[in-house]
Amino acid sequence: MPANAVAQFMDYLRYEKRMSPNTLIAYQNDLEQFETYLQTAFQESDLLKSDAVMVRTWIVTMMEEGITTRSINRKISCLKSFFNYQLKMGKVPHNIMREVVSPKVSKRLPQYVSEESMSRLFSSNLFSDDFEGRRDQSIIELFYATGMRLSELLNIKPIDIDLNELVVKVLGKRSKERIVPINHAAKIALEKYFSSYEEKFGKLNEKNCIFVSTKNNKLNPKDVYTIVRKYLDMVTTIDKRSPHVLRHTFATHLLNNGAEIEAIKEILGHSSLAATQIYTHNSIEKLKNIYKQAHPRV
């Protein structure tokens, strides 16, 4: 394979499509894994000389190895983009991925924390009244108030937050900015955290990320995951207790309480309505449960 075929494609994703660093890493890994498979199974080192049969056998191999359908479909999506780009650049005569069918993914409803559990979390004095406790409450309040992604929260800076107007500027996927409202509970939590920060480290730099460790180092994703898991463990027994579950919780609670799905789409930063519509299924499940409990003929 020409040494620069993957490099050119990755530059295209980085500079023209403006994909996030995490997505770029995933695409790079997927292409390297397919290249390794070609070399091992077919003694072929040039991705541009692969065909649909090779891709299909790779899919079967991954399924036999127990790789999830969701992960396999992401790798297929990567190859589709790769060969579309190569077709556009005149490097291949056609996109071989048109002959490849993606395996079906069983639909799972996104898990979320109940309104009662979230209320218990914020009203039970579970957060200590010190730097760490105030920081942790601010993190969870902000997730629940905005539905932002973990990567978005980690990069929030003081300059992005307007506590007077109750809004926060969020830098989302592909460097798209959006303005998201916050509530008074999040405002109060942030004010307390900022006060603790200044007592401990001095004045906040407007251009530094706001969430830091006790040594004033920017928190990493694992840190925040641990914080969220710690507190959700105290109030819920659902399987997943992660920052992304708080995003699901935010969207589901808004929808259950009458918010328009288009508005939720904009707040979440989804590029299409299809990504947001999965939350309507949670609402339907709630209605079914109410129906079963209330209807005399059930």
Side-chain angles (χ1 to χ4, degrees):
M1 180 181 63
N4 62 357
V6 170
Q8 288 178 346
F9 174 64
M10 296 306 298
D11 283 344
Y12 163 73
L13 297 181
R14 182 177 293 107
Y15 300 116
E16 293 192 40
K17 301 297 286 184
R18 299 173 74 182
M19 287 188 170
S20 71
N22 288 340
T23 303
L24 292 172
I25 291 170
Y27 271 49
Q28 182 81 46
N29 289 340
D30 291 343
L31 291 171
E32 289 175 357
Q33 287 169 17
F34 183 52
E35 185 176 28
T36 298
Y37 176 78
L38 289 179
Q39 292 170 348
T40 303
F42 298 99
Q43 292 74 55
E44 177 58 72
S45 59
D46 188 347
L47 264 66
L48 301 185
K49 292 182 180 178
S50 59
D51 58 32
V53 172
M54 294 175 177
V55 176
R56 290 194 203 104
T57 57
W58 186 43
I59 293 171
V60 171
T61 300
M62 288 190 288
M63 293 177 76
E64 290 174 345
E65 291 173 351
I67 296 174
T68 66
T69 306
R70 194 174 299 277
S71 294
I72 292 171
N73 282 340
R74 194 203 66 230
K75 296 175 193 297
I76 292 172
S77 177
C78 168
L79 290 183
K80 284 180 179 178
S81 296
F82 175 76
F83 283 105
N84 266 336
Y85 175 75
Q86 303 305 330
L87 180 63
K88 179 181 176 182
M89 301 303 293
K91 300 285 184 67
V92 294
H94 65 282
N95 187 342
I96 63 171
M97 298 305 293
R98 291 178 181 172
E99 304 167 43
V100 176
V101 178
S102 301
K104 290 185 178 180
V105 179
S106 57
K107 290 186 177 180
R108 294 182 299 173
L109 295 180
Q111 288 191 311
Y112 65 96
V113 183
S114 69
E115 291 184 40
E116 294 79 8
S117 294
M118 291 304 297
S119 177
R120 190 162 66 252
L121 174 60
F122 293 124
S123 63
S124 302
N125 297 319
L126 298 177
F127 301 96
S128 57
D129 192 24
D130 56 16
F131 172 80
E132 286 185 84
R134 290 179 173 187
R135 178 202 63 196
D136 295 354
Q137 181 166 0
S138 294
I139 287 171
I140 295 178
E141 289 276 16
L142 206 50
F143 273 134
Y144 187 46
T146 66
M148 67 175 66
R149 302 175 178 93
L150 172 58
S151 59
E152 295 169 347
L153 178 130
L154 285 171
N155 291 310
I156 292 291
K157 302 173 179 63
I159 198 171
D160 298 322
I161 299 174
D162 189 332
L163 294 180
N164 292 321
E165 294 295 326
L166 293 177
V167 293
V168 57
K169 182 172 70 176
V170 178
L171 185 64
K173 287 186 175 180
R174 301 184 185 178
S175 299
K176 290 183 178 178
E177 289 185 350
R178 65 185 189 278
I179 302 298
V180 178
I182 61 175
N183 53 37
H184 283 279
K187 173 186 177 180
I188 292 169
L190 285 167
E191 287 175 338
K192 289 182 177 179
Y193 169 59
F194 291 157
S195 176
S196 287
Y197 179 98
E198 293 184 355
E199 287 175 10
K200 193 173 183 67
F201 302 116
K203 188 170 176 60
L204 271 163
N205 186 316
E206 285 289 293
K207 296 184 179 180
N208 285 350
C209 297
I210 65 174
F211 292 117
V212 299
S213 69
T214 54
K215 295 182 179 179
N216 202 18
N217 296 319
K218 179 186 174 184
L219 294 183
N220 61 46
K222 185 178 179 181
D223 294 329
V224 177
Y225 185 96
T226 300
I227 289 167
V228 170
R229 178 75 186 232
K230 169 186 172 182
Y231 291 97
L232 291 188
D233 277 349
M234 299 178 185
V235 297
T236 182
T237 58
I238 62 172
D239 295 334
K240 293 186 178 181
R241 299 183 287 282
S242 66
H244 211 69
V245 163
L246 289 176
R247 180 169 165 87
H248 294 326
T249 300
F250 163 82
T252 301
H253 290 181
L254 280 190
L255 198 61
N256 284 346
N257 285 285
E260 295 288 340
I261 194 167
E262 281 282 359
I264 298 173
K265 167 185 171 292
E266 294 302 318
I267 294 173
L268 291 176
H270 284 159
S271 57
S272 73
L273 192 60
T276 318
Q277 284 175 328
I278 189 169
Y279 297 110
T280 63
H281 296 292
N282 279 331
S283 293
I284 291 168
E285 289 302 311
K286 181 181 178 181
L287 289 174
K288 283 182 179 177
N289 290 331
I290 293 171
Y291 183 85
K292 286 178 183 177
Q293 292 170 11
H295 200 288
R297 293 281 290 171
V298 175

